[in-house]
Amino acid sequence: LFLTLLFATHAALAVERHSIPSLDGKLQIPGYWFGAIVAEPRPAVISLHGCGGLLDAKGGLSRNRHRVAEYFNVERMHFLAIDSFTPRSLKSICETRQNLRTIDQEDRRDDVFAAIRWLAQRPDVDRNRIAVVGYSNGGSTVLSVVDRTEKAVRAQPLQPRAAVAFYPGCVAYQQMWNYEVGVPLLLMIGALDDWTPPHYCQWLRDRVRRAQKDARFELIIFPDTHHGFDGYGPIQVRTGLPTKSGSATVGANPEARDKAMRRMFDFLSEAF
């Protein structure tokens, strides 16, 4: 199916904008819904943006976001992209040091569980087959969402069925002495990533597997690949970042992008 998915052409997808109440009821989280055309309840995927936010400079969804949504819809899965920044009056936190940020992974994790609650109320969604996919800062949120040692996570009545993290920051979780994954997790990152270095993710995976024998934690490190490899932009150096060097290399790797997409869909199919 995936070859057809990659090369087929389709009319532009219809996107619906919804307001999703936060868990505490204080915010309305914008959700961009791409519903698959189905006759029965189907799986749904929650997409989490990176530190640059969900929206582009014109205030709309990027072409790549529409493209990814189409991939899921072709596979008869619904797609919901949630915007954690706009309701908190943020556009980007990429240049902001961690200790100065006004939003953290716990805030974004709560947004995910609010979205799961919202999806579970839809008659066209199979509430037992909801997955979370996050990119960069959103990938770090995925690691928080699946942490079964966290009391706030265990308290949620509905959990995702599976999770996928693209090039997340793994440092904070690698430093936890008791981190455990509660659902199948696929983590994909580039070997040359100098924004979210892959060795921290490798250390995290290895430690989880040693301590948690039943864990399904799959890690794929793509060679010759930088941060943001799943996009379509050229390789370039971003400056003004809170990294050790103050910069990071970002850009697409078409081969890694295609392999990652194939593995993600196979992984979700197995989990569902």
Side-chain angles (χ1 to χ4, degrees), residues 42 54 72 79 81 86 101 115 119 123 131 155 165 171 173 197 203 207 211:
R42 291 292 300 167
L54 178 64
F72 282 106
F79 182 85
T86 298
R101 292 178 178 178
L119 286 170
V171 176
Y173 305 99
W203 293 344
R207 204 188 69 209

Side-chain angles (χ1 to χ4, degrees), residues 53-145:
L54 178 64
L55 306 179
D56 60 23
K58 296 181 180 179
L61 293 178
S62 69
R63 180 181 178 185
N64 191 39
R65 197 71 58 178
H66 281 265
R67 184 184 290 111
V68 172
E70 182 176 16
Y71 291 166
F72 282 106
N73 284 177
V74 167
E75 294 291 339
R76 302 178 68 234
M77 287 185 271
H78 305 296
F79 182 85
L80 175 68
I82 61 174
D83 178 0
S84 289
F85 285 6
T86 298
R88 296 178 173 93
S89 301
L90 296 169
K91 291 186 178 180
S92 173
I93 59 172
C94 295
E95 295 79 17
T96 306
R97 297 186 66 86
Q98 191 73 36
N99 63 333
L100 298 178
R101 292 178 178 178
T102 57
I103 184 173
D104 56 28
Q105 298 304 336
E106 288 73 20
D107 296 322
R108 300 201 64 190
R109 181 187 67 204
D110 288 350
D111 291 351
V112 172
F113 283 109
I116 291 175
R117 181 176 61 185
W118 183 84
L119 286 170
Q121 297 172 353
R122 293 187 60 101
D124 53 354
V125 171
D126 182 345
R127 60 187 292 162
N128 296 313
R129 292 191 291 172
I130 296 173
V132 184
V133 178
Y135 304 84
S136 195
N137 186 268
S140 300
T141 301
V142 167
L143 299 183
S144 180
V145 168

